[in-house]
Amino acid sequence: MTRVAVNGVTGQMGHAVLAAAGDADVVVGFATSDADAVDGVPVVHPADAADALAEYDVDAVVDFAVPEGALTVAEACAEAGVPIVVGTTGFDEDGMARLKDVSESVPLLKATNFSRGIQVLQRLVREAVGTLDEYDLELVETHHNRKVDAPSGTANTILDVIQSERDVEPVYGREGHAPRDEDEIGVFARRAGDVRGEHELLLAGDDEVLSLSHRAEDRGVFAAGALDAAAWLVGRDAGWYSFGEVVDA
Ligand SMILES: NC(=O)C1=CN([C@@H]2O[C@H](COP(=O)(O)OP(=O)(O)OC[C@H]3O[C@@H](n4cnc5c(N)ncnc54)[C@H](OP(=O)(O)O)[C@@H]3O)[C@@H](O)[C@H]2O)C=CC1
Ligand SMILES: O=C(O)C1=N[C@H](C(=O)O)C[C@H](O)C1
């Protein structure tokens, strides 16, 4: 059994991780609000995370929070020598550099999407964009109306994959007189209802259209992937790991 701490335990993903974990797997949670416990799991302020990681004998942290909170807890993991799985999205350059520093001290696995389907989608995207190298590309993502970062972390990761194959310039939404440039990729973020997460890449030639898409139907898919990643990460050397390594294991 992996003794897990959940950062962002009071949030949507925090609840999904609690639901996906076995009864005794989650031993403590972190959040800034006043909650003493969530589903019987004690809640500690992120500022006290390093002490709590030792007190609750935590094997690995699973994080789904906000960038500043993720960084506080990741740095506590570095101090306490505990591996961390980072699911939070929306880090800026400085935040990414701080995560890299953490990975010098402890194993850190970061993914913008813990569904196995998205891992496969990324591989298909690389193949399709490399092969259909003249086709126009357009990327669309849809998420629930509470999501704060845009485009989604997953859309940014898909964009990174595309840009490793082709020199395209993202155009975020279009308005007014906006003729399409040959080397651009339109990127669109929709926010509505409780959509768990949809991503679609359109590749269009003059006479055909290929659409590669993925839809998450329940947050449990992300929670299960992150818990698998946590179990996989325990006992590894310090360093930066990816979810693809877990999927391929
Ligand atoms: N990689 C993946 O597969 C997935 C990633 N995500 C990402 O996970 C993140 C969380 O998503 P979601 O659960 O929907 O968001 P919510 O807004 O529902 O939850 C955010 C959580 O973060 C907590 N929080 C706020 N400030 C801090 C802080 N300083 N330190 C620690 N915790 C803090 C909040 O609790 P409180 O206010 O009590 O502190 C809350 O529990 C987002 O970045 C989202 O994009 C989501 C789904 C899948
Ligand atoms: O906030 C969400 O909900 C999600 N966020 C991740 C992202 O930004 O890509 C992953 C998933 O799509 C759900």
Side-chain angles (χ1 to χ4, degrees), residues 7-13 31-33 46 64-66 69 87-89 111-114 147 149 222:
N7 189 34
V9 70
T10 53
Q12 300 180 106
M13 279 307 302
T32 59
S33 55
F64 291 100
V66 297
T88 298
T89 56
T112 54
N113 197 305
F114 281 102
K147 186 161 178 62
D149 54 318
F222 309 128

Side-chain angles (χ1 to χ4, degrees), residues 58-138:
V58 170
D59 294 321
V61 170
V62 169
D63 154 77
F64 291 100
V66 297
E68 202 44 52
L71 290 166
T72 301
V73 170
E75 284 162 358
C77 284
E79 194 182 325
V82 173
I84 179 164
V85 170
V86 178
T88 298
T89 56
F91 292 97
D92 59 16
E93 265 182 41
D94 177 62
M96 288 300 287
R98 285 169 63 186
L99 290 179
K100 288 272 180 211
D101 285 348
V102 168
S103 74
E104 306 279 320
S105 308
V106 290
L108 183 153
L109 189 152
K110 181 177 181 314
T112 54
N113 197 305
F114 281 102
S115 88
R116 281 171 159 70
I118 283 285
Q119 281 301 311
V120 175
L121 181 78
Q122 287 172 23
R123 295 170 196 196
L124 296 173
V125 164
R126 186 180 302 283
E127 161 84 20
V129 169
T131 305
L132 305 175
D133 56 359
E134 308 257 292
Y135 284 34
D136 293 336
L137 306 175
E138 296 282 310

Side-chain angles (χ1 to χ4, degrees), residues 198-220:
E198 296 180 2
H199 294 87
E200 181 188 26
L201 177 68
L202 215 62
L203 300 98
D206 285 342
D207 301 313
E208 63 173 344
V209 175
L210 171 64
S211 162
L212 297 176
S213 68
H214 175 270
R215 185 175 69 247
E217 299 195 326
D218 192 292
R219 292 187 176 88

